[in-house]
Amino acid sequence: MSSFLRYCVGLDISKDKLQVCLSIIDQTGRVSVKATTKVANKPIGFASLLTWVSRHCKFNLPLTYLMESTGVYHEAVAWYLHQHDQSVSILLPNKAKYYLKSLGYKSKNDKIDAQGLSRMGLEQQLPIWKPLSKNLYALRLLTRQHQRLQELRTQSTNQQHSLEYSAFDNGFIAKQLINLVKVYDQQLTALEAAIAQLIAEDSVLKPRIEQLVRIKGLALLSVSVLVAETNGFEGFTNQRHLVSYAGYDVGENQSGNHSGKTRISKKGNSRLRRILHLPAFNAVRFNEPTCKALYECVYERTGIKMKAYVAVQKRLLLMAYALWRHGGDYDPLYLLNRAGGDKKIVPTSGTTQDQLTQAELSYL
């Protein structure tokens, strides 16, 4: 018994079924599959899963459940396991995909995926999942619904524009589109009121969000999205993790004498990048000191406005993270004062956008 270290249950999740694989690892690093099964993706299946696992775990060892974030199908089992004091880890699907490829599997099915997940959970130290609080979960639902309706409204207004300048006009469709935009506007207004009410009634969220709204460029809706999509910045131990999660990490393209363009990876939460697009423009327009200085610095170096605005987006995200994590009042001149008064931080030749913003934001 002493030669074994821990168990891991890999769960490959579909709409109706959970493919389950229980594995164990010993002190030499050898992974052995103990048992496999299938259960229904509903509460009665989750209960039978716990019974099945307890029956096959012969030793009193640490146990972890590992699954992929498959849309919404994984949420019910993750919540159930968490409420029953089980350790749960949740992976982005691309991480599990590349891990399975590294093992040399040529076939793909639910059983192989579950086995690969259980092996991955044993060989790697993965973070334990922490669920959203009820209010943060509700806030995420509201902000995502707001985004969906806003996108539908944009489609309708684009269709209106297209119809207006088309060769043959159609009054019936034009009236429908006008009414449809009015409905979207009413629903968006109602959602914004619901978001404001939810925050006002939460004694923990309200004061912290009020501090973030003081940053020029960030309004209540944009801050609500940042907080909801990051689970209140829970689980991010440093700035790099948050930057990577949002897709603002810079990917290099260099090999030997070849040196390609560097650009942000965009492999992350696209909702964060979407909601920071307009706030970045407003932060520069309304002269938020640190954002304005960064914009001018990057634009002077690259001559590309959008690259400078992306740097400002990243700056706003990290400013919100720093205020949320450390508390305190927002000071617009804090970073500039730490950098030496009104003196600009001028990048040296060869400094990448990522290195520049990381160096400046290390003061936060």
Side-chain angles (χ1 to χ4, degrees):
M1 181 184 78
S2 60
S3 63
F4 295 111
L5 298 178
R6 60 183 183 274
Y7 290 106
C8 181
V9 177
L11 299 176
D12 185 74
I13 301 173
S14 64
K15 179 173 68 73
D16 300 316
K17 296 289 183 181
L18 306 179
Q19 179 67 49
V20 185
C21 178
L22 171 66
S23 299
I24 192 171
I25 190 170
D26 61 23
Q27 292 178 344
T28 66
R30 187 172 66 91
V31 175
S32 304
V33 175
K34 303 301 292 182
T36 61
T37 189
K38 276 187 178 182
V39 297
N41 190 3
K42 51 187 178 181
I44 190 171
F46 307 155
S48 64
L49 170 64
L50 290 178
T51 303
W52 179 86
V53 170
S54 63
R55 188 169 68 247
H56 285 86
C57 289
K58 305 295 183 182
F59 308 125
N60 186 21
L61 298 172
L63 170 67
T64 304
Y65 292 80
L66 179 61
M67 64 190 73
E68 296 175 302
S69 56
T70 52
V72 297
Y73 297 142
H74 70 286
E75 291 182 349
V77 63
W79 271 93
Y80 185 92
L81 293 172
H82 178 78
Q83 290 171 344
H84 286 77
D85 300 321
Q86 302 298 312
S87 297
V88 179
S89 292
I90 300 178
L91 283 179
L92 292 175
N94 63 331
K95 290 188 176 181
K97 174 184 175 182
Y98 290 129
Y99 175 79
L100 291 174
K101 281 188 175 181
S102 72
L103 297 179
Y105 288 125
K106 295 182 179 179
S107 300
K108 185 185 186 312
N109 57 47
D110 293 346
K111 192 171 183 179
I112 291 175
D113 289 346
Q115 183 177 336
L117 287 170
S118 67
R119 185 184 186 94
M120 187 178 183
L122 293 171
E123 293 181 345
Q124 300 184 16
Q125 295 292 333
L126 300 172
I128 300 301
W129 173 71
K130 293 182 180 179
L132 295 167
S133 70
K134 288 186 177 180
N135 276 356
L136 281 179
Y137 189 79
L139 187 62
R140 191 181 72 175
L141 290 175
L142 289 171
T143 54
R144 289 187 175 184
Q145 177 68 0
H146 188 282
Q147 177 182 336
R148 282 190 289 268
L149 290 182
Q150 185 65 58
E151 290 170 349
L152 290 172
R153 184 189 184 281
T154 301
Q155 290 177 11
S156 296
T157 54
N158 288 344
Q159 192 176 351
Q160 277 182 316
H161 179 82
S162 176
L163 191 63
E164 181 181 354
Y165 289 93
S166 64
F168 301 98
D169 194 2
N170 188 306
F172 178 76
I173 296 178
K175 288 181 180 179
Q176 276 199 329
L177 291 172
I178 291 172
N179 293 331
L180 197 56
V181 170
K182 287 182 180 178
V183 171
Y184 288 143
D185 286 336
Q186 292 171 358
Q187 294 299 315
L188 287 170
T189 301
L191 279 169
E192 290 165 7
I195 290 170
Q197 182 180 354
L198 187 150
I199 293 171
E201 293 175 352
D202 191 307
S203 59
V204 176
L205 284 178
K206 183 181 178 181
R208 304 182 81 173
I209 287 180
E210 285 176 348
Q211 283 298 319
L212 300 190
V213 172
R214 292 181 61 193
I215 301 174
K216 288 183 180 179
L218 292 180
L220 183 64
L221 178 62
S222 52
V223 169
S224 299
V225 174
L226 293 182
V227 173
E229 293 297 331
T230 59
N231 190 16
F233 297 100
E234 185 70 39
F236 298 103
T237 57
N238 55 53
Q239 296 174 357
R240 292 192 310 276
H241 291 166
L242 178 60
V243 168
S244 177
Y245 176 76
Y248 286 119
D249 50 325
V250 176
E252 292 189 71
N253 180 15
Q254 187 274 335
S255 178
N257 294 326
H258 170 73
S259 181
K261 292 182 179 180
T262 59
R263 59 190 68 197
I264 62 172
S265 69
K266 294 188 179 181
K267 293 181 179 178
N269 192 318
S270 62
R271 288 183 172 88
L272 293 176
R273 298 194 304 277
R274 176 186 179 276
I275 203 62
L276 287 170
H277 180 71
L278 289 179
F281 287 99
N282 290 331
V284 175
R285 177 187 176 190
F286 296 115
N287 297 314
E288 201 291 325
T290 53
C291 292
K292 181 72 171 180
L294 177 61
Y295 171 83
E296 292 176 349
C297 190
V298 176
Y299 180 56
E300 181 182 349
R301 178 172 58 86
T302 64
I304 303 173
K305 287 187 176 181
M306 190 49 65
K307 182 171 287 190
Y309 280 120
V310 170
V312 173
Q313 292 176 34
K314 181 177 172 182
R315 161 64 60 79
L316 288 172
L317 176 64
L318 293 184
M319 288 172 67
Y321 170 63
L323 276 177
W324 187 276
R325 183 177 180 183
H326 300 295
D329 295 330
Y330 167 62
D331 180 5
L333 300 177
Y334 175 77
L335 185 56
L336 291 181
N337 291 336
R338 290 295 298 271
D342 295 330
K343 181 180 178 181
K344 279 189 181 181
I345 303 173
V346 181
T348 59
S349 59
T351 304
T352 66
Q353 176 183 324
D354 185 56
Q355 292 169 331
L356 173 68
T357 52
Q358 283 295 334
E360 292 176 319
L361 287 166
S362 64
Y363 294 108
L364 288 175

